[in-house]
Amino acid sequence: MAATGSEKQGTKAFYVTTPIYYVNDAPHLGHAYTTVAGDVLTRWHRQRGEKVWYLTGTDEHGQKIMRTAEANDVTPQAWCDKLVEEAWKPLWEHLNIANDDFIRTTQKRHTDRVQEFVQDLYDKDEIYKGGYEGPYCVGCEEFKLPGDLIEAEDGTKLCPVHKRPVEILKEENYFFKLSAYGPKLLEFYEANPGFIQPESARNEVVNFVKQGLDDLSISRSTFDWGIPVPWDEKHVIYVWIDALLNYATAVGYNENPAKFEETFPADVHLIGKDILRFHAVIWPAMLMAQGLPVPGRVAANGWLMVGGEKMSKSNLTGIKPQDLTSHFGVDAYRWYFLRAIAFGQDGSFSWEDFTARYTSELANDYGNLASRVAAMVGKYFGGELPASAADGDAEKAVRDGLAKAVAVADAKIGEELDFQAGILAIFDFVKQVNGYITEQEPWKVAKDESEEGRARLATILYTAAESLRAVAVLLNPIMPETSQALWDSLGAEASLGTLASQPVQDAATWGQLPAGATVTKGAVLFPRLEEPKKD
């Protein structure tokens, strides 16, 4: 998606990434949660007029993918191709994800650059040959520390994430001298306290590194589905080293210096908390070893919980996003998880909570406000927005409320990644406008056909419509389809231009919607919910 607004030419792009997702199965709500958050964040920055680059993609190497493909009697590449083209890319399109690039770790643009990166580290004596024996979780594709494991009733050691037995690996590997970077990482964390978010995640990483780091196995030699180690093709590069490098290879590392210079490093890596150490310890250490800049921020979101369990296919709690969008709509889906769950914390999902919030906040508060205002402009002024007359204290309070909503939403969404607080600020303003209409009672004012009465009615309806103009701008990064419908209903494009070109930070500038705009009552933004079908 092209950037909108007046870009700040010549500056570094605001670069946001999601994890690249394993293609061992179709995406579920947890994958979509992180990806929608990244989309809202990057849309917000685009609508500030900034240069933006949003990257997502798929992680297609490793033992887990190989075993899944074998179980389905296809080659790993055929499995990946099918899942990417039939499940992952279509879902992101369905959810209106405006990513600028989609990288696959089986692409040559990636595999060649990974080999070059690892070869450089080997040539710098940052990698050496050794042996490894210890627990490994294929589900996580992670070497586990004994202290990380949990114990089943029969004494079997389990992965704490997947609740499945770990495998004991014993094989020849190449190792990255991660242990040498512990002091440098601690110094970096101290100098950059906002590098890891939330605070609980930062504390976890700092404490982990303070205990001392072991060198990291960066190759596997007992299977071949991966990128060959360039100096020893009996080994393939450990899937996590391969995966982390996508953030560099996708933006031109060793291939397009101009692109790399204007994009790298990422300003925000959005991740799940279960992959925190890879991104906050291993990844910056790799970059330090290569003399490359470290990312601006690693933001770990919590887990989506169903019945007290992390949502995942392996735990049989995976829910398809389409199960929800078919009932609530795509925009409501994008809104709900960021509204209902504080980003960075675990959150529980239920149909009942989604239904209650949809009905109360989207249908009753927001959708009904848009319908009422359009209907009254149509009824009392023939669909032509009247000019506001003299504003009073009530109108000033609305303008002040809007200014506060814009300031809070811009800071919370655009800077702090506190999507919930930003959305709440916008909807608090929606509630304020509803309260304003209730108090001013335009349907009663309309009975006064004097010049003063008509002027007062015009002021009330202009204030309401102008408020909705600002709401459409603020909610566009979150709910683009319904925001566009509201923009069209207000007749705003004819005089103000496209909705995407409206700077969010300027949304509180009052009086942008001109008198005379054609206001029409379109389809209901958030229709009444039907009862979900029972199986």
Side-chain angles (χ1 to χ4, degrees), residues 85-301:
E85 297 302 329
E86 295 182 9
W88 290 86
K89 285 184 176 179
L91 177 61
W92 299 157
E93 184 176 352
H94 174 65
L95 294 178
N96 273 330
I97 305 300
N99 52 294
D100 296 280
D101 194 6
F102 187 103
I103 190 165
R104 301 178 56 184
T105 57
T106 52
Q107 292 172 330
K108 185 174 175 58
R109 64 166 172 156
H110 175 73
T111 59
D112 287 355
R113 304 291 86 77
V114 169
Q115 287 186 310
E116 292 166 4
F117 188 101
V118 173
Q119 181 70 59
D120 285 348
L121 291 184
Y122 183 71
D123 293 342
K124 293 176 179 177
D125 197 32
E126 294 281 354
I127 291 173
Y128 64 91
K129 195 172 189 177
Y132 176 83
E133 182 174 5
Y136 188 85
C137 173
V138 174
C140 294
E141 293 283 13
E142 181 179 5
F143 299 96
K144 295 292 185 180
L145 297 173
D148 291 337
L149 303 178
I150 59 175
E151 191 169 298
E153 290 183 0
D154 63 0
T156 303
K157 298 297 185 180
L158 307 178
C159 166
V161 177
H162 292 93
K163 311 295 193 299
R164 291 181 176 181
V166 293
E167 300 179 13
I168 301 300
L169 291 185
K170 183 177 182 179
E171 63 183 32
E172 180 184 80
N173 296 127
Y174 285 94
F175 287 80
F176 167 57
K177 296 178 180 178
L178 180 63
S179 60
Y181 288 89
K184 294 179 183 178
L185 288 167
L186 290 173
E187 182 181 347
F188 176 76
Y189 302 150
E190 181 69 24
N192 299 276
F195 173 64
I196 304 168
Q197 294 181 344
E199 186 70 18
S200 58
R202 181 183 187 276
N203 293 338
E204 175 193 328
V205 168
V206 170
N207 291 334
F208 173 72
V209 176
K210 281 182 176 179
Q211 294 171 15
L213 298 175
D214 294 327
D215 288 345
L216 176 71
S217 173
I218 59 101
S219 75
R220 298 291 307 276
S221 57
T222 54
F223 65 94
D224 63 359
W225 180 240
I227 302 173
V229 171
W231 63 88
D232 187 348
E233 296 202 350
K234 295 191 298 293
H235 293 247
V236 294
I237 296 168
Y238 174 40
V239 65
W240 265 105
I241 301 300
D242 167 2
L244 288 165
L245 282 167
N246 93 89
Y247 304 131
T249 63
V251 293
Y253 171 74
N254 262 18
E255 187 175 27
N256 185 339
K259 174 70 176 175
F260 192 71
E261 179 70 21
E262 71 179 19
T263 312
F264 196 83
D267 292 86
V268 180
H269 287 309
L270 296 174
I271 62 166
K273 66 179 181 180
D274 50 335
I275 57 175
L276 175 62
R277 291 179 189 175
F278 294 104
H279 287 79
V281 179
I282 297 172
W283 178 226
M286 289 167 58
L287 294 171
M288 289 174 180
Q290 197 68 294
L292 291 173
V294 175
R297 193 173 353 175
V298 174
N301 60 253

Side-chain angles (χ1 to χ4, degrees), residues 456-474:
R456 182 62 196 150
L457 180 61
T459 296
I460 296 168
L461 294 184
Y462 181 85
T463 299
E466 172 66 354
S467 298
L468 284 171
R469 185 272 312 159
V471 169
V473 173
L474 293 173

Side-chain angles (χ1 to χ4, degrees), residues 51-91:
K51 293 167 63 174
V52 170
W53 197 257
Y54 184 32
L55 174 69
T56 190
T58 45
D59 187 356
E60 303 181 12
H61 289 131
Q63 204 166 6
K64 179 162 61 173
I65 302 298
M66 185 183 73
R67 290 182 180 179
T68 302
E70 289 172 350
N72 286 273
D73 199 28
V74 296
T75 67
Q77 189 65 65
W79 176 260
C80 293
D81 291 345
K82 177 180 175 64
L83 263 291
V84 168
E85 297 302 329
E86 295 182 9
W88 290 86
K89 285 184 176 179
L91 177 61

